[in-house]
Amino acid sequence: MNLPLYIAKRYLLSRKKTNIINIISGISIVGMSVGTMALVVVLSVFNGFDGLIKSLFSSFDPDLKITIAEGKSFQDSTAIFQEIRNLPEVADYAQIIEENALLRYSNQQYIATIMGVSPSFQQMTGIDTMLVDGKFKLEDANNYYAVIGQGVAYYLSVGLNFINPIQVYVPQRGRTMGMGLVGNFNHDIIFPTGIFSIQQEIDSKYVIVPMAFARRLFEMPTGVSAVELKLKKDASVKETQQKIQELVGNRFVVKNRYQQHDYLYKIMKSEKWAVYLILVFILLIASFNIVGSLTMLILDKKEDINILKSMGANHSLIRKIFLFEGWSISIIGAVVGTFLGLVVSWLQQTYGLLKLTGGTSFIIDAYPVKIIPMDVTAIFISVLVIGFFAAWFPVRFISGKYLTNESY
Protein backbone atom coordinates (compact mmCIF):
# COMPACT_ATOMS: atom_id res chain seq x y z
CA MET A 1 0.00 0.00 0.00
CA ASN A 2 1.26 3.49 -0.88
CA LEU A 3 1.01 5.13 2.56
CA PRO A 4 1.35 8.81 1.46
CA LEU A 5 -1.28 8.33 -1.25
CA TYR A 6 -3.65 6.55 1.14
CA ILE A 7 -3.36 9.29 3.77
CA ALA A 8 -3.71 12.02 1.12
CA LYS A 9 -6.94 10.40 -0.09
CA ARG A 10 -8.25 10.28 3.47
CA TYR A 11 -7.41 13.96 3.94
CA LEU A 12 -9.16 14.86 0.68
CA LEU A 13 -12.38 12.99 1.44
CA SER A 14 -12.64 13.27 5.22
CA ARG A 15 -14.17 16.12 7.15
CA LYS A 16 -11.64 18.63 8.55
CA LYS A 17 -11.78 20.36 11.89
CA THR A 18 -12.23 23.65 10.09
CA ASN A 19 -15.08 23.26 7.58
CA ILE A 20 -13.74 26.06 5.38
CA ILE A 21 -10.94 23.72 4.24
CA ASN A 22 -13.49 21.33 2.73
CA ILE A 23 -15.19 24.26 1.01
CA ILE A 24 -11.93 25.62 -0.43
CA SER A 25 -10.93 22.12 -1.62
CA GLY A 26 -14.30 21.78 -3.33
CA ILE A 27 -13.92 25.23 -4.90
CA SER A 28 -10.43 24.22 -6.11
CA ILE A 29 -11.79 21.14 -7.87
CA VAL A 30 -14.69 23.11 -9.39
CA GLY A 31 -12.35 25.89 -10.52
CA MET A 32 -9.94 23.48 -12.21
CA SER A 33 -12.84 21.58 -13.78
CA VAL A 34 -14.53 24.69 -15.16
CA GLY A 35 -11.25 26.08 -16.47
CA THR A 36 -10.38 22.80 -18.18
CA MET A 37 -13.87 22.50 -19.65
CA ALA A 38 -13.67 26.07 -20.98
CA LEU A 39 -10.34 25.33 -22.65
CA VAL A 40 -11.69 22.20 -24.36
CA VAL A 41 -14.89 23.88 -25.54
CA VAL A 42 -13.33 27.16 -26.72
CA LEU A 43 -10.48 25.48 -28.62
CA SER A 44 -12.95 23.03 -30.18
CA VAL A 45 -15.08 25.95 -31.40
CA PHE A 46 -11.97 27.65 -32.81
CA ASN A 47 -11.12 24.41 -34.58
CA GLY A 48 -14.68 24.27 -35.90
CA PHE A 49 -14.48 27.77 -37.38
CA ASP A 50 -11.02 26.98 -38.77
CA GLY A 51 -12.36 23.86 -40.50
CA LEU A 52 -15.41 25.75 -41.76
CA ILE A 53 -13.32 28.53 -43.31
CA LYS A 54 -10.95 26.02 -44.89
CA SER A 55 -13.89 24.12 -46.38
CA LEU A 56 -15.36 27.36 -47.75
CA PHE A 57 -12.05 28.36 -49.33
CA SER A 58 -11.69 24.87 -50.78
CA SER A 59 -14.87 25.54 -52.74
CA PHE A 60 -13.14 28.45 -54.47
CA ASP A 61 -9.38 27.93 -54.23
CA PRO A 62 -7.58 25.23 -56.22
CA ASP A 63 -5.26 22.63 -54.75
CA LEU A 64 -2.34 24.39 -56.46
CA LYS A 65 -2.09 27.79 -58.13
CA ILE A 66 0.71 28.86 -60.48
CA THR A 67 1.42 32.58 -60.94
CA ILE A 68 4.33 34.49 -62.39
CA ALA A 69 6.84 35.88 -59.89
CA GLU A 70 7.17 39.25 -61.67
CA GLY A 71 4.53 40.72 -63.94
CA LYS A 72 0.81 40.17 -64.38
CA SER A 73 0.47 37.56 -67.15
CA PHE A 74 2.35 34.78 -68.88
CA GLN A 75 1.98 32.27 -71.70
CA ASP A 76 0.88 28.80 -70.64
CA SER A 77 1.15 27.31 -74.13
CA THR A 78 4.78 26.27 -73.60
CA ALA A 79 6.01 22.69 -73.37
CA ILE A 80 6.49 23.01 -69.59
CA PHE A 81 2.81 23.75 -68.97
CA GLN A 82 1.80 21.00 -71.37
CA GLU A 83 3.91 18.66 -69.26
CA ILE A 84 2.19 19.95 -66.11
CA ARG A 85 -1.21 19.37 -67.72
CA ASN A 86 -0.25 15.75 -68.43
CA LEU A 87 1.14 14.95 -64.97
CA PRO A 88 -0.52 11.81 -63.52
CA GLU A 89 -1.31 13.71 -60.28
CA VAL A 90 -3.30 16.46 -62.09
CA ALA A 91 -7.05 15.87 -62.41
CA ASP A 92 -8.11 19.27 -63.86
CA TYR A 93 -6.33 22.27 -65.34
CA ALA A 94 -7.95 25.72 -65.52
CA GLN A 95 -6.75 29.00 -67.02
CA ILE A 96 -7.48 32.23 -65.17
CA ILE A 97 -7.37 35.91 -66.11
CA GLU A 98 -7.76 38.45 -63.31
CA GLU A 99 -7.95 42.23 -63.70
CA ASN A 100 -9.65 45.03 -61.82
CA ALA A 101 -12.55 46.79 -63.48
CA LEU A 102 -15.10 49.52 -62.78
CA LEU A 103 -18.63 48.15 -62.59
CA ARG A 104 -21.80 50.15 -63.06
CA TYR A 105 -25.31 48.91 -62.39
CA SER A 106 -28.13 51.43 -62.61
CA ASN A 107 -26.82 54.34 -60.50
CA GLN A 108 -24.30 52.32 -58.48
CA GLN A 109 -20.55 52.00 -59.11
CA TYR A 110 -18.03 49.59 -57.66
CA ILE A 111 -14.47 48.42 -58.39
CA ALA A 112 -14.14 44.64 -58.44
CA THR A 113 -11.90 41.94 -59.90
CA ILE A 114 -13.08 40.38 -63.14
CA MET A 115 -12.08 36.71 -63.10
CA GLY A 116 -12.15 35.07 -66.50
CA VAL A 117 -12.20 31.29 -66.22
CA SER A 118 -11.91 28.42 -68.67
CA PRO A 119 -14.77 25.87 -68.90
CA SER A 120 -13.01 23.41 -66.56
CA PHE A 121 -13.22 25.88 -63.64
CA GLN A 122 -16.65 24.68 -62.54
CA GLN A 123 -15.55 21.03 -62.50
CA MET A 124 -12.47 21.72 -60.38
CA THR A 125 -14.21 23.86 -57.73
CA GLY A 126 -17.34 23.52 -55.67
CA ILE A 127 -18.46 27.10 -56.20
CA ASP A 128 -21.80 25.98 -57.63
CA THR A 129 -22.63 24.66 -54.15
CA MET A 130 -21.98 28.11 -52.65
CA LEU A 131 -24.70 29.92 -54.63
CA VAL A 132 -27.26 31.83 -52.60
CA ASP A 133 -29.30 32.95 -55.59
CA GLY A 134 -29.60 32.01 -59.25
CA LYS A 135 -27.47 29.35 -60.94
CA PHE A 136 -23.90 28.88 -62.12
CA LYS A 137 -24.11 29.64 -65.84
CA LEU A 138 -21.40 31.57 -67.72
CA GLU A 139 -22.40 31.23 -71.36
CA ASP A 140 -24.76 29.77 -73.89
CA ALA A 141 -24.85 29.75 -77.67
CA ASN A 142 -25.45 33.51 -77.95
CA ASN A 143 -24.46 35.28 -74.73
CA TYR A 144 -21.93 35.55 -71.93
CA TYR A 145 -23.02 35.72 -68.28
CA ALA A 146 -21.46 36.50 -64.90
CA VAL A 147 -21.66 34.92 -61.45
CA ILE A 148 -20.91 37.55 -58.83
CA GLY A 149 -19.98 37.62 -55.15
CA GLN A 150 -22.63 38.54 -52.61
CA GLY A 151 -20.62 41.58 -51.52
CA VAL A 152 -20.39 42.87 -55.09
CA ALA A 153 -24.12 42.30 -55.51
CA TYR A 154 -24.76 44.25 -52.31
CA TYR A 155 -22.66 47.27 -53.27
CA LEU A 156 -24.18 47.40 -56.77
CA SER A 157 -27.72 46.51 -55.62
CA VAL A 158 -27.79 43.83 -58.31
CA GLY A 159 -30.91 41.79 -58.94
CA LEU A 160 -31.10 38.71 -61.14
CA ASN A 161 -33.88 40.14 -63.30
CA PHE A 162 -32.13 40.17 -66.71
CA ILE A 163 -33.45 43.66 -67.32
CA ASN A 164 -30.38 45.74 -66.47
CA PRO A 165 -26.93 44.43 -67.37
CA ILE A 166 -23.75 45.15 -65.45
CA GLN A 167 -21.58 47.61 -67.38
CA VAL A 168 -17.86 46.89 -67.19
CA TYR A 169 -15.09 49.45 -67.83
CA VAL A 170 -11.36 48.71 -67.98
CA PRO A 171 -8.49 50.96 -69.15
CA GLN A 172 -7.38 50.38 -72.72
CA ARG A 173 -3.94 48.84 -73.07
CA GLY A 174 -1.04 51.05 -74.15
CA ARG A 175 -3.04 54.25 -74.04
CA THR A 176 -2.40 57.44 -72.07
CA MET A 177 -5.31 58.17 -69.77
CA GLY A 178 -7.38 61.25 -70.41
CA MET A 179 -10.53 62.65 -68.89
CA GLY A 180 -13.77 60.68 -68.99
CA LEU A 181 -14.63 57.07 -69.76
CA VAL A 182 -15.20 57.40 -73.51
CA GLY A 183 -12.09 56.76 -75.57
CA ASN A 184 -9.96 55.69 -72.61
CA PHE A 185 -11.78 52.56 -71.41
CA ASN A 186 -12.92 49.36 -72.99
CA HIS A 187 -16.60 48.91 -72.29
CA ASP A 188 -18.80 45.83 -72.31
CA ILE A 189 -21.98 44.60 -70.67
CA ILE A 190 -22.86 41.29 -69.07
CA PHE A 191 -25.92 39.88 -67.32
CA PRO A 192 -25.59 38.19 -63.88
CA THR A 193 -27.04 34.69 -63.52
CA GLY A 194 -25.96 33.79 -59.98
CA ILE A 195 -24.71 35.15 -56.65
CA PHE A 196 -22.27 33.18 -54.50
CA SER A 197 -21.30 33.54 -50.86
CA ILE A 198 -18.01 32.05 -49.61
CA GLN A 199 -16.16 34.53 -47.42
CA GLN A 200 -16.45 38.29 -47.13
CA GLU A 201 -13.06 38.96 -48.72
CA ILE A 202 -13.95 36.85 -51.77
CA ASP A 203 -17.62 37.84 -51.95
CA SER A 204 -16.81 41.55 -52.15
CA LYS A 205 -14.03 41.12 -54.70
CA TYR A 206 -14.81 38.70 -57.53
CA VAL A 207 -17.02 38.63 -60.60
CA ILE A 208 -16.63 35.35 -62.50
CA VAL A 209 -17.01 35.55 -66.29
CA PRO A 210 -16.15 33.28 -69.26
CA MET A 211 -12.56 33.34 -70.52
CA ALA A 212 -13.62 34.59 -73.97
CA PHE A 213 -15.39 37.60 -72.44
CA ALA A 214 -12.33 38.46 -70.32
CA ARG A 215 -9.94 38.16 -73.29
CA ARG A 216 -12.11 40.51 -75.36
CA LEU A 217 -12.52 42.99 -72.53
CA PHE A 218 -8.86 43.08 -71.46
CA GLU A 219 -7.45 42.80 -75.01
CA MET A 220 -5.59 39.60 -74.14
CA PRO A 221 -5.89 37.19 -77.07
CA THR A 222 -3.28 34.98 -75.42
CA GLY A 223 -1.73 34.59 -71.99
CA VAL A 224 -3.16 34.05 -68.53
CA SER A 225 -2.85 35.54 -65.06
CA ALA A 226 -2.72 32.16 -63.33
CA VAL A 227 -3.07 28.43 -63.84
CA GLU A 228 -5.13 26.51 -61.30
CA LEU A 229 -4.78 22.78 -60.72
CA LYS A 230 -7.01 20.22 -59.09
CA LEU A 231 -5.15 17.12 -57.96
CA LYS A 232 -6.37 13.55 -57.84
CA LYS A 233 -7.52 12.28 -54.45
CA ASP A 234 -4.55 9.98 -53.96
CA ALA A 235 -1.97 12.63 -54.98
CA SER A 236 0.30 14.25 -52.40
CA VAL A 237 -0.12 18.03 -52.52
CA LYS A 238 3.31 18.66 -51.02
CA GLU A 239 5.17 16.34 -53.40
CA THR A 240 3.25 17.53 -56.46
CA GLN A 241 3.85 21.18 -55.52
CA GLN A 242 7.58 20.53 -55.21
CA LYS A 243 7.66 18.67 -58.55
CA ILE A 244 5.84 21.49 -60.38
CA GLN A 245 8.02 24.16 -58.76
CA GLU A 246 11.11 22.35 -60.07
CA LEU A 247 9.55 22.24 -63.55
CA VAL A 248 8.63 25.94 -63.78
CA GLY A 249 11.68 27.29 -61.95
CA ASN A 250 12.08 30.60 -60.14
CA ARG A 251 10.08 32.60 -62.71
CA PHE A 252 6.89 31.20 -61.25
CA VAL A 253 5.37 30.73 -57.81
CA VAL A 254 3.44 27.56 -56.96
CA LYS A 255 1.17 27.88 -53.92
CA ASN A 256 -0.99 25.31 -52.19
CA ARG A 257 -4.45 26.10 -50.85
CA TYR A 258 -3.20 27.40 -47.49
CA GLN A 259 -0.37 29.48 -48.91
CA GLN A 260 -2.89 31.34 -51.06
CA HIS A 261 -4.33 32.79 -47.82
CA ASP A 262 -1.36 32.35 -45.51
CA TYR A 263 -1.93 35.69 -43.77
CA LEU A 264 -5.52 34.77 -42.84
CA TYR A 265 -4.53 31.33 -41.56
CA LYS A 266 -1.67 32.80 -39.51
CA ILE A 267 -4.08 35.26 -37.90
CA MET A 268 -6.55 32.48 -37.10
CA LYS A 269 -3.82 30.34 -35.56
CA SER A 270 -2.49 33.29 -33.55
CA GLU A 271 -5.99 34.08 -32.24
CA LYS A 272 -6.51 30.47 -31.20
CA TRP A 273 -3.30 30.27 -29.18
CA ALA A 274 -3.80 33.75 -27.74
CA VAL A 275 -7.16 32.61 -26.36
CA TYR A 276 -5.52 29.41 -25.12
CA LEU A 277 -2.89 31.40 -23.20
CA ILE A 278 -5.54 33.72 -21.73
CA LEU A 279 -7.59 30.77 -20.48
CA VAL A 280 -4.47 29.06 -19.12
CA PHE A 281 -3.69 32.26 -17.22
CA ILE A 282 -7.22 32.24 -15.78
CA LEU A 283 -6.70 28.60 -14.83
CA LEU A 284 -3.43 29.57 -13.17
CA ILE A 285 -5.29 32.11 -11.05
CA ALA A 286 -7.91 29.48 -10.19
CA SER A 287 -5.12 27.16 -9.04
CA PHE A 288 -4.36 29.54 -6.17
CA ASN A 289 -7.32 27.88 -4.48
CA ILE A 290 -5.15 24.75 -4.30
CA VAL A 291 -2.40 26.80 -2.63
CA GLY A 292 -4.88 28.15 -0.08
CA SER A 293 -6.45 24.73 0.52
CA LEU A 294 -3.09 23.01 1.12
CA THR A 295 -1.82 25.84 3.31
CA MET A 296 -4.86 25.60 5.58
CA LEU A 297 -4.70 21.78 5.53
CA ILE A 298 -1.06 21.83 6.69
CA LEU A 299 -2.02 24.18 9.52
CA ASP A 300 -5.00 21.97 10.39
CA LYS A 301 -2.92 18.79 10.48
CA LYS A 302 -0.07 19.96 12.72
CA GLU A 303 -0.96 17.33 15.32
CA ASP A 304 -1.08 14.59 12.67
CA ILE A 305 2.35 15.68 11.41
CA ASN A 306 3.79 15.35 14.92
CA ILE A 307 2.20 11.93 15.40
CA LEU A 308 3.57 10.67 12.07
CA LYS A 309 7.04 11.97 12.96
CA SER A 310 6.90 10.19 16.33
CA MET A 311 5.96 6.97 14.51
CA GLY A 312 9.10 7.22 12.36
CA ALA A 313 7.80 9.01 9.27
CA ASN A 314 10.56 11.01 7.62
CA HIS A 315 10.20 14.49 6.16
CA SER A 316 9.98 13.23 2.57
CA LEU A 317 7.00 10.97 3.37
CA ILE A 318 5.11 13.78 5.12
CA ARG A 319 5.69 16.15 2.20
CA LYS A 320 4.49 13.52 -0.24
CA ILE A 321 1.18 13.28 1.64
CA PHE A 322 0.40 16.94 1.00
CA LEU A 323 1.80 16.84 -2.53
CA PHE A 324 -0.49 13.93 -3.38
CA GLU A 325 -3.37 15.87 -1.83
CA GLY A 326 -2.74 18.83 -4.16
CA TRP A 327 -2.13 16.64 -7.18
CA SER A 328 -5.35 14.75 -6.50
CA ILE A 329 -7.29 18.03 -6.67
CA SER A 330 -5.70 18.99 -10.01
CA ILE A 331 -6.07 15.48 -11.49
CA ILE A 332 -9.75 15.28 -10.51
CA GLY A 333 -10.31 18.77 -11.94
CA ALA A 334 -8.49 17.86 -15.18
CA VAL A 335 -10.39 14.58 -15.65
CA VAL A 336 -13.81 16.01 -14.80
CA GLY A 337 -13.23 19.20 -16.84
CA THR A 338 -11.95 17.30 -19.87
CA PHE A 339 -14.90 14.91 -19.73
CA LEU A 340 -17.44 17.74 -19.40
CA GLY A 341 -15.72 19.72 -22.17
CA LEU A 342 -15.86 16.73 -24.53
CA VAL A 343 -19.53 16.12 -23.66
CA VAL A 344 -20.49 19.78 -24.25
CA SER A 345 -18.49 19.84 -27.51
CA TRP A 346 -20.13 16.61 -28.69
CA LEU A 347 -23.61 17.91 -27.88
CA GLN A 348 -22.92 21.13 -29.79
CA GLN A 349 -21.42 19.22 -32.69
CA THR A 350 -24.33 16.77 -32.85
CA TYR A 351 -27.34 18.90 -31.99
CA GLY A 352 -26.16 22.51 -32.51
CA LEU A 353 -27.54 23.67 -29.16
CA LEU A 354 -25.95 27.14 -29.23
CA LYS A 355 -27.18 29.04 -32.28
CA LEU A 356 -25.50 31.91 -34.06
CA THR A 357 -27.31 35.23 -33.72
CA GLY A 358 -29.12 35.91 -36.97
CA GLY A 359 -28.36 32.36 -38.09
CA THR A 360 -30.36 32.66 -41.32
CA SER A 361 -27.78 35.11 -42.69
CA PHE A 362 -24.90 32.66 -42.20
CA ILE A 363 -23.95 29.50 -44.04
CA ILE A 364 -24.39 27.65 -40.73
CA ASP A 365 -26.92 28.33 -37.99
CA ALA A 366 -24.97 27.01 -34.98
CA TYR A 367 -21.43 27.33 -33.68
CA PRO A 368 -19.22 24.74 -35.42
CA VAL A 369 -17.17 22.38 -33.27
CA LYS A 370 -14.26 20.13 -34.11
CA ILE A 371 -12.53 18.06 -31.42
CA ILE A 372 -8.80 17.55 -32.06
CA PRO A 373 -7.17 14.92 -29.79
CA MET A 374 -3.83 16.75 -29.77
CA ASP A 375 -5.49 19.89 -28.38
CA VAL A 376 -7.28 17.90 -25.69
CA THR A 377 -3.99 16.22 -24.74
CA ALA A 378 -2.20 19.58 -24.58
CA ILE A 379 -4.95 20.99 -22.34
CA PHE A 380 -4.86 17.97 -20.00
CA ILE A 381 -1.07 18.17 -19.64
CA SER A 382 -1.23 21.95 -19.08
CA VAL A 383 -3.72 21.51 -16.23
CA LEU A 384 -1.58 18.82 -14.61
CA VAL A 385 1.55 20.99 -14.83
CA ILE A 386 -0.29 23.95 -13.29
CA GLY A 387 -1.64 21.66 -10.55
CA PHE A 388 1.83 20.28 -9.87
CA PHE A 389 3.35 23.69 -9.20
CA ALA A 390 0.25 24.84 -7.29
CA ALA A 391 0.73 21.88 -4.92
CA TRP A 392 4.52 22.09 -4.77
CA PHE A 393 4.61 25.73 -3.66
CA PRO A 394 2.87 25.47 -0.24
CA VAL A 395 4.43 22.10 0.55
CA ARG A 396 7.92 23.36 -0.25
CA PHE A 397 7.75 26.72 1.53
CA ILE A 398 5.14 26.34 4.27
CA SER A 399 5.59 22.83 5.58
CA GLY A 400 9.19 23.74 6.40
CA LYS A 401 7.91 25.55 9.47
CA TYR A 402 6.67 22.26 10.86
CA LEU A 403 9.37 19.98 9.50
CA THR A 404 12.87 21.28 8.91
CA ASN A 405 14.55 23.88 6.79
CA GLU A 406 16.34 21.29 4.67
CA SER A 407 15.76 21.28 0.92
CA TYR A 408 13.02 19.18 -0.59
Side-chain angles (χ1 to χ4, degrees), residues 157-229:
S157 300
V158 169
L160 304 181
N161 50 29
F162 288 91
I163 296 176
N164 297 320
I166 298 175
Q167 300 183 56
V168 186
Y169 297 89
V170 296
Q172 294 182 352
R173 286 182 175 271
R175 191 181 180 99
T176 304
M177 295 296 293
M179 299 295 293
L181 296 178
V182 179
N184 296 297
F185 286 78
N186 291 333
H187 170 246
D188 212 330
I189 62 171
I190 194 166
F191 287 94
T193 58
I195 298 174
F196 65 83
S197 176
I198 298 175
Q199 195 266 346
Q200 185 177 2
E201 179 185 355
I202 294 175
D203 298 345
S204 60
K205 180 178 180 181
Y206 286 106
V207 173
I208 301 174
V209 300
M211 177 66 74
F213 177 86
R215 290 197 182 282
R216 184 178 71 191
L217 181 68
F218 298 124
E219 300 179 273
M220 289 181 61
T222 61
V224 295
S225 302
V227 166
E228 297 188 349
L229 305 175

Side-chain angles (χ1 to χ4, degrees), residues 12 16 20-29 293 325 329:
L12 180 65
K16 283 75 173 178
I20 191 65
I21 301 177
N22 296 86
I23 296 174
I24 294 178
S25 297
I27 292 174
S28 301
I29 294 175
S293 175
E325 167 88 6
I329 293 174

Side-chain angles (χ1 to χ4, degrees), residues 53 72 161 212-213 245 262 354 362 367 387:
I53 291 173
K72 297 180 68 176
N161 50 29
F213 177 86
Q245 187 67 71
D262 56 343
L354 189 59
F362 293 97
Y367 283 93

Side-chain angles (χ1 to χ4, degrees), residues 228-295:
E228 297 188 349
L229 305 175
K230 180 181 180 181
L231 305 183
K232 294 179 180 177
K233 291 184 178 180
D234 57 347
S236 169
V237 175
K238 184 176 181 180
E239 292 178 2
T240 307
Q241 180 184 9
Q242 185 177 358
K243 182 190 293 187
I244 294 174
Q245 187 67 71
E246 291 174 356
L247 284 173
V248 298
N250 295 330
R251 283 191 61 221
F252 297 90
V253 178
V254 183
K255 292 184 177 182
N256 60 36
R257 184 169 288 154
Y258 304 117
Q259 290 170 338
Q260 294 167 41
H261 300 282
D262 56 343
Y263 182 70
L264 174 64
Y265 289 128
K266 286 178 181 177
I267 289 177
M268 290 174 57
K269 195 170 183 179
S270 299
E271 288 178 343
K272 173 184 173 180
W273 292 114
V275 171
Y276 169 78
L277 291 175
I278 291 171
L279 290 176
V280 166
F281 180 73
I282 294 173
L283 197 61
L284 187 63
I285 295 175
S287 70
F288 279 100
N289 286 315
I290 299 177
V291 177
S293 175
L294 284 180
T295 301

